[in-house]
Amino acid sequence: GLKKLSEQVTDKAGGFPASETNGHGNSAAERLPLQEELETRTFRKITQRIRDLLGDNRFETWGLVAPPEVNNAVIDALDAKQVGRLTVNLKLDLTGQPPDSLKRRLLAA
């Protein structure tokens, strides 16, 4: 869901979760600038949602339409089997496109 920035980050030492510790420790060092950190978290959430959808085998094939930086991050994080089921992969930012335009692009892919 959508959270306020103050709910996502803190300036307190040890406030940044360290993923390598399975939630048992926090990192005091901020390795990435804030914007990059938020983007990385978003890409991970998108990737996890795709894994969840593909994991229950409801879909034999799937498609991805996302701006290049999102697209590349998601594809790189998926396993070969999941990527192998990908039949449409458009590296496009279609944010704000009218529905008719989206439909035409997707049907043409």
Side-chain angles (χ1 to χ4, degrees), residues 69-89:
E69 63 277 6
V70 176
N71 193 299
N72 292 337
V74 169
I75 295 300
D76 289 347
L78 294 172
D79 66 39
K81 184 178 176 184
Q82 293 164 331
V83 175
R85 293 165 49 192
L86 180 65
T87 57
V88 174
N89 187 15

Side-chain angles (χ1 to χ4, degrees), residues 82-102:
Q82 293 164 331
V83 175
R85 293 165 49 192
L86 180 65
T87 57
V88 174
N89 187 15
L90 302 177
K91 295 180 180 183
L92 300 170
D93 185 351
L94 300 179
T95 305
Q97 294 291 312
D100 289 341
S101 174
L102 288 173

Side-chain angles (χ1 to χ4, degrees), residues 3-54:
K3 293 182 179 179
K4 290 190 268 183
L5 184 60
S6 62
E7 294 171 340
Q8 297 179 49
V9 296
T10 179
D11 60 355
K12 295 178 185 174
F16 296 94
S19 60
E20 298 83 22
T21 62
N22 293 325
H24 296 291
N26 286 330
S27 172
E30 184 176 1
R31 293 181 299 274
L32 298 173
L34 179 59
Q35 182 65 32
E36 289 179 41
E37 178 69 23
L38 294 175
E39 285 179 2
T40 299
R41 289 179 186 187
T42 300
F43 298 164
R44 286 182 187 148
K45 286 179 182 180
I46 293 168
T47 302
Q48 187 56 52
R49 181 66 177 133
I50 291 171
R51 282 189 189 120
D52 292 345
L53 288 169
L54 296 177

Side-chain angles (χ1 to χ4, degrees), residues 53-72:
L53 288 169
L54 296 177
D56 62 14
N57 294 313
R58 285 188 291 172
F59 307 100
E60 289 183 31
T61 61
W62 64 288
L64 177 63
V65 179
E69 63 277 6
V70 176
N71 193 299
N72 292 337

